[in-house]
Amino acid sequence: MPTETERCIESLLAVFQRYAGRDGNNCTLSKREFLAFMNTELAAFTKNQKDPCVVDRMMKKLDLNSDGQLDFQEFLNLIGGIAVACHNSLVVNAPTP
Amino acid sequence: MPTETERCIESLLAVFQRYAGRDGNNCTLSKREFLAFMNTELAAFTKNQKDPCVVDRMMKKLDLNSDGQLDFQEFLNLIGGIAVACHNSLVVNAPTP
């Protein structure tokens, strides 16, 4: 049986493949695929954004080599960024002993 | 209900906290905590290593600021590295259409 960490790595691979496989190059997320990912998998975040350009700007920022596509490493930087932000907010908001 | 991506982010945070909370600073993994993590969560990897120093070397490589501890960002670099390695081996080994 896989451990929690192994399950997590498998999930990240599966989610990326699910969206990257929709059109064109199935090793990268196009802008359209990234939007679909954000609006489905991270809807709790996107629906609270008042600025409709926020996902566009995120895509530009994540696309380190500016090829208009997100590869798996660039996608992981997003997941890592969100996880670090959650972690920091939990640590900052934790009651001091 | 959380999405697969949200569950995954929660899992990464929970696993890190579980091991980081064992001794000393509960925002970082000491070498002892990192060993416990590797031997439990990534045992499938560690048990196949013939070189007993491999986990030591991984810790040194991941510890970017060389403080002898892994913070959450440094921990995520490991998860990301494993995920990228899995992704690349899946893509390379995939049958060409």
Side-chain angles (χ1 to χ4, degrees):
Chain A
M1 219 184 97
T3 65
E4 190 169 0
T5 305
E6 287 166 347
R7 261 205 311 275
C8 205
I9 293 171
E10 285 170 1
S11 278
L12 290 172
L13 288 162
V15 167
F16 181 80
Q17 295 292 350
R18 193 179 311 145
Y19 289 89
R22 291 191 170 193
D23 53 49
N25 185 339
N26 64 12
C27 296
T28 57
L29 294 175
S30 64
K31 190 163 171 180
R32 189 196 176 104
E33 289 166 336
F34 179 62
L35 273 168
F37 164 78
M38 289 299 292
N39 288 330
T40 312
E41 289 286 323
L42 297 175
F45 169 80
T46 42
K47 76 170 183 223
N48 285 319
Q49 300 303 316
K50 290 189 183 76
D51 177 355
C53 297
V54 74
V55 178
D56 277 27
R57 282 207 307 275
M58 285 175 71
M59 170 102 192
K60 275 208 185 102
K61 205 167 167 181
L62 291 165
D63 181 16
L64 295 178
N65 64 354
S66 303
D67 65 351
Q69 303 274 325
L70 298 183
D71 62 26
F72 187 61
Q73 177 68 65
E74 290 166 340
F75 167 78
L76 281 182
N77 292 341
L78 167 69
I79 305 298
I82 295 171
V84 168
C86 289
H87 176 69
N88 291 346
S89 92
L90 289 172
V91 171
V92 169
N93 296 326
T96 40
Chain B
M1 217 183 97
T3 66
E4 190 169 1
T5 305
E6 287 166 346
R7 261 206 310 276
C8 204
I9 294 170
E10 284 170 1
S11 278
L12 290 172
L13 288 162
V15 167
F16 181 80
Q17 295 292 350
R18 193 178 312 145
Y19 290 88
R22 291 193 172 194
D23 53 51
N25 184 338
N26 65 12
C27 296
T28 57
L29 294 174
S30 64
K31 191 163 172 178
R32 189 194 175 104
E33 289 166 335
F34 180 62
L35 273 168
F37 164 78
M38 289 300 293
N39 288 330
T40 313
E41 288 287 322
L42 297 175
F45 169 80
T46 41
K47 75 171 184 220
N48 284 319
Q49 301 302 317
K50 290 187 185 75
D51 178 355
C53 297
V54 74
V55 177
D56 276 27
R57 281 206 306 276
M58 284 174 71
M59 171 102 190
K60 276 209 186 100
K61 204 167 168 179
L62 289 166
D63 181 15
L64 296 178
N65 63 353
S66 305
D67 64 351
Q69 302 276 324
L70 298 184
D71 62 26
F72 186 62
Q73 177 67 66
E74 291 167 339
F75 167 78
L76 280 181
N77 292 340
L78 167 68
I79 305 298
I82 295 170
V84 169
C86 290
H87 176 70
N88 291 345
S89 92
L90 289 172
V91 171
V92 169
N93 296 326
T96 40

